[in-house]
Structures are given as structure tokens and as C-alpha cells.
């Protein structure tokens, strides 16, 4: 049983995680606009986080021999794949749109459960998926012939598909007596992701002089190194760890619902700090996407709307994990009641 003090701290930690993850796009986009390749920004984020979390990796070094496939899959999909696709999308479409497209992940997870695993899903979860898809259509203004960059939307969809891989790994990683400690999975996932991105991003070709100068943030010149520090320390390390602890102190459902605020936070920050404005139909569509993600998130597995048994893992947002027996993945996924959760 959780102590009252632990439970009281949970909502604050969940909000901190949502704020931190939601700020990653705002910190990364000025660096990309200043001349850094999106893959280089992803490499800096992963490599910096891996370095900071090195002591935690040493503490959980037994995971390397116990769960090598889980660590490799998490590093490839939840770190390298999600972040590379997401940051590449940021170079072409607004932050809010890129993140909302990633909210298709719950729909894709439910599709995997229904059509790949051939297990039924709850009616309310299906309604959530339909709402999310309809809201997304409004966000990208499909009636206007997709006014956003098509490649940017495809990259954001790629990030959503990589998150599906994260959800599947999270579910697998939290099963049985050999469940992986989420903090260790985060630490080694960052290290694996950094190694993969070193090969793909070729950081030796990076223009490191950008990091020593200033970049434009909605008309103001700010040190590039400050934004990088924010991206590594706050939007990655603190965000992941706060997400883990929040789900351990709350139920996964409650922490997951709070994490739905990430998309709202990201959109508001992009509006205030980057000057990215969305039209009224896009704001309405974004609200519908969040509503659909919320409904899918709270659709409890194990009992259908008419009382039958189902398997319907629910998820929200971005992200970037493994699970413990009662904890989340790096962006938060609880395995104690079958719910999967993640955020950017």
C-alpha cells in the first residue's frame, strides 16, 4: 500500500513529467532552425542523457545479460526511432501538429491488439480511436488537401509507429518474474539509442559552432548551449525519472490521464515561445484528439462494456520504455494492471 505522502507527491511529479516532455520540441526546434540536422539534435539528446544516467546504468548492469533484447528494442524504437522521426517532423511542421499526430499511437496499439493478436477491445476504446482519428483529420485540415508538409506528417506518423513498438516492448518487459526495472531500461535504452544514432547521425559532421553561439527563440537570441542543457537535463532525464516515480506513486490510469496534458503544454509553449499559431478548427481538432486519447487511456482492460473479457491496453502520447512490476517505462507504462502509458 502506498503511503499518503507518496500519493500526495504523485500528481505533482506527473505534471512535472508532462511539462518536461512537452517542452522538448520547443527546445529542439530553434537548434534545428539554426542549422543543426534533426538527427544531430537527437544524438545530442540521447548521448547527453546516457552520460548523465551512466551511474544508473552501472547500478542495473545485470540487465545487460538478463534482458538484452528488451534493451536493444527499446533503444532502437523508443529512443532512436521515436526521437529521430519526431525531431525530423519538427523541421517541417508545427510542434503541436507533430505531437498530435503521435497521439495516433493509442489507435495503432488497439489495432495491433484487435487484428494482430486477434483479441477484442472495449467499445469505449474503439470510440476513443475514432475520435482521435477524426480530430487528427481536423488538425491537418484534410479538406484543404493537407496544407501541412506531407513528408513532415509521414515522419510524425513514423514516430507514432515507433511508439507502438515501445508499447509492445513495455507490455513484454513487465511480464513474469523476470520483469525489468524501468529505471535500468531507461538508462540502457539511452545508451543503445546513442550508439545507434552515432552510426546513423554521424555526429562528427555536425556543425558544433552552432552550440557555442546564440539561436533565435521567437525573436529573442538565447544561448544554444542553454537550450541543449534544457533538452538533456529537463526534457529527457528529469522527465523520464519523474514519469517513472509518478506512476509508482499513483495508479497508472491517473498518471496517464495527467500525461495527456503533454500535448496541450507543447502546443501552448510553441504558441508562446515559437509563435506557432493554430487555426480554430485545428484547436478544436486537437481537443478531440486529446479526448479520444483520454477515452482510450481510461478504457480498463479485462472487462468489455457488456461484461465480457477483453484485452485492451490503453496508451497516451510520446514517447520515448520498459516496465517494472508496478512501475512505468521511461515515459511511464504500468504493467500492474495491464495499462500501457507513454509520453513524449
Amino acid at each position: 500500500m502506498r503511503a499518503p505522502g507518496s500519493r500526495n507527491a504523485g500528481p505533482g511529479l506527473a505534471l512535472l513529467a508532462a511539462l518536461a516532455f512537452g517542452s522538448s520540441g520547443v527546445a529542439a526546434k530553434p537548434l534545428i532552425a539554426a542549422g543543426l540536422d534533426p538527427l544531430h539534435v537527437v544524438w545530442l539528446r540521447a548521448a547527453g542523457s546516457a552520460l548523465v544516467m551512466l551511474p544508473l546504468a552501472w547500478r542495473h548492469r545485470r540487465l545487460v545479460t538478463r534482458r538484452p533484447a528488451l534493451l536493444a528494442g527499446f533503444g532502437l524504437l523508443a529512443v532512436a526511432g521515436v526521437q529521430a522521426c519526431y525531431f525530423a517532423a519538427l523541421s517541417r511542421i508545427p510542434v503541436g501538429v507533430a505531437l498530435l499526430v503521435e497521439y495516433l499511437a493509442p489507435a495503432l496499439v488497439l489495432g495491433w491488439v484487435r487484428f494482430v493478436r486477434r483479441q477484442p477491445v472495449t467499445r469505449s476504446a474503439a470510440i476513443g480511436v475514432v475520435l482521435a482519428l477524426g480530430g487528427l483529420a481536423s488538425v491537418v485540415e484534410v479538406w484543404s488537401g493537407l496544407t501541412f508538409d506531407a513528408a513532415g506528417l509521414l515522419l510524425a506518423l513514423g514516430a507514432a509507429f515507433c511508439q507502438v513498438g515501445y508499447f509492445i516492448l513495455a507490455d513484454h518487459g513487465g511480464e513474469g518474474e523476470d520483469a525489468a526495472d524501468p529505471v535500468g531500461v531507461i538508462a540502457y535504452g539511452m545508451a543503445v539509442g546513442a550508439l545507434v544514432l552515432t552510426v546513423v547521425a554521424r555526429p562528427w559532421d555536425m556543425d558544433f559552432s552552432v552550440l557555442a553561439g546564440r539561436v533565435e527563440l521567437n525573436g529573442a537570441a538565447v544561448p544554444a548551449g542553454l537550450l541543449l542543457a534544457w533538452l538533456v537535463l529537463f526534457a529527457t532525464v528529469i522527465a523520464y525519472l519523474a514519469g517513472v516515480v509518478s506512476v509508482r506513486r499513483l495508479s497508472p490510469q491517473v498518471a496517464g490521464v495527467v500525461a495527456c496534458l503533454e500535448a496541450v503544454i507543447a502546443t501552448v509553449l510553441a504558441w508562446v515561445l515559437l509563435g506557432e499559431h493554430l487555426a480554430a478548427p485545428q484547436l478544436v481538432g486537437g481537443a478531440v484528439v486529446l479526448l479520444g486519447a483520454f477515452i482510450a487511456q481510461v478504457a480498463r482492460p479485462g472487462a468489455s462494456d457488456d461484461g465480457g473479457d477483453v484485452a485492451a491496453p490503453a496508451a497516451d502520447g510520446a514517447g520515448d520504455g520498459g516496465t517494472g512490476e508496478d512501475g512505468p517505462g521511461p515515459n511511464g507504462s504500468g504493467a500492474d494492471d495491464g495499462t500501457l502509458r507513454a509520453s513524449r
Side-chain angles (χ1 to χ4, degrees), residues 81-83 85-86 102 105 154-164 344:
V82 170
Q83 294 187 28
C85 289
Y86 176 64
E102 282 198 56
L154 287 175
L155 287 166
L157 281 172
F161 276 104
C162 286
Q163 281 210 40
V164 172
R344 176 76 10 240

Side-chain angles (χ1 to χ4, degrees), residues 50-143:
L51 185 61
V52 171
M53 299 187 75
L54 189 58
L56 293 174
W58 175 254
R59 179 180 178 183
H60 297 284
R61 57 191 178 278
R62 292 182 181 177
L63 277 178
V64 175
T65 55
R66 282 181 50 223
R67 306 300 297 273
L70 175 64
L71 300 183
F74 174 60
L76 288 170
L77 294 176
V79 175
V82 170
Q83 294 187 28
C85 289
Y86 176 64
F87 282 179
L90 293 185
S91 67
R92 312 182 74 99
I93 60 178
V95 171
V97 174
L99 193 56
L100 287 169
V101 172
E102 282 198 56
Y103 268 74
L104 282 177
L108 296 173
V109 170
L110 290 173
W112 176 78
V113 170
R114 181 65 182 88
F115 297 109
V116 177
R117 296 182 61 181
R118 298 186 180 278
Q119 295 177 338
V121 298
T122 62
R123 186 180 299 112
S124 57
I127 291 173
V129 169
V130 172
L131 285 174
L133 291 172
L136 180 64
S138 180
V139 169
V140 302
E141 297 183 324
V142 292
W143 56 84

Side-chain angles (χ1 to χ4, degrees), residues 35-328:
L36 288 181
D37 187 273
L39 278 177
H40 289 160
V41 176
V42 176
W43 177 83
L44 287 168
R45 182 185 188 186
S49 301
L51 185 61
V52 171
M53 299 187 75
L54 189 58
L56 293 174
W58 175 254
R59 179 180 178 183
H60 297 284
R61 57 191 178 278
R62 292 182 181 177
L63 277 178
V64 175
T65 55
R66 282 181 50 223
R67 306 300 297 273
L70 175 64
L71 300 183
F74 174 60
L76 288 170
L77 294 176
V79 175
V82 170
Q83 294 187 28
C85 289
Y86 176 64
F87 282 179
L90 293 185
S91 67
R92 312 182 74 99
I93 60 178
V95 171
V97 174
L99 193 56
L100 287 169
V101 172
E102 282 198 56
Y103 268 74
L104 282 177
L108 296 173
V109 170
L110 290 173
W112 176 78
V113 170
R114 181 65 182 88
F115 297 109
V116 177
R117 296 182 61 181
R118 298 186 180 278
Q119 295 177 338
V121 298
T122 62
R123 186 180 299 112
S124 57
I127 291 173
V129 169
V130 172
L131 285 174
L133 291 172
L136 180 64
S138 180
V139 169
V140 302
E141 297 183 324
V142 292
W143 56 84
S144 301
L146 290 177
T147 56
F148 288 116
D149 185 283
L153 291 175
L154 287 175
L155 287 166
L157 281 172
F161 276 104
C162 286
Q163 281 210 40
V164 172
Y166 156 69
F167 294 138
I168 296 171
L169 286 172
D171 188 34
H172 177 71
E175 292 176 345
E177 296 181 356
D178 195 32
D181 188 292
V183 175
V185 174
I186 295 169
Y188 279 102
M190 288 296 173
V192 171
L195 289 175
V196 172
L197 289 167
T198 298
V199 177
V200 176
R202 300 172 61 88
W204 46 87
D205 293 333
M206 187 191 315
D207 184 5
F208 284 94
S209 63
V210 173
L211 299 177
R214 292 178 173 268
V215 297
E216 182 179 345
L217 184 66
N218 197 23
V222 299
L226 179 62
L227 289 181
L228 178 59
W230 179 280
L231 186 62
V232 170
L233 298 176
F234 185 68
T236 306
V237 175
I238 291 178
Y240 278 33
L241 294 177
V244 168
V245 177
S246 70
V247 176
R248 288 184 174 230
R249 298 188 177 188
L250 298 169
S251 70
Q253 275 84 8
V254 173
V257 169
V258 175
C260 286
L261 292 173
E262 179 193 336
V264 177
I265 291 170
T267 302
V268 171
L269 288 177
W271 192 333
V272 174
L273 298 178
L274 298 180
E276 294 183 350
H277 298 275
L278 300 181
Q282 294 166 324
L283 292 174
V284 173
V288 174
V289 171
L290 292 175
L291 177 62
F294 172 83
I295 292 174
Q297 168 67 34
V298 300
R300 290 295 298 268
S304 67
D305 296 326
D306 57 2
D309 291 336
V310 300
D316 72 79
D320 325 309
T323 60
E325 293 175 301
D326 63 350

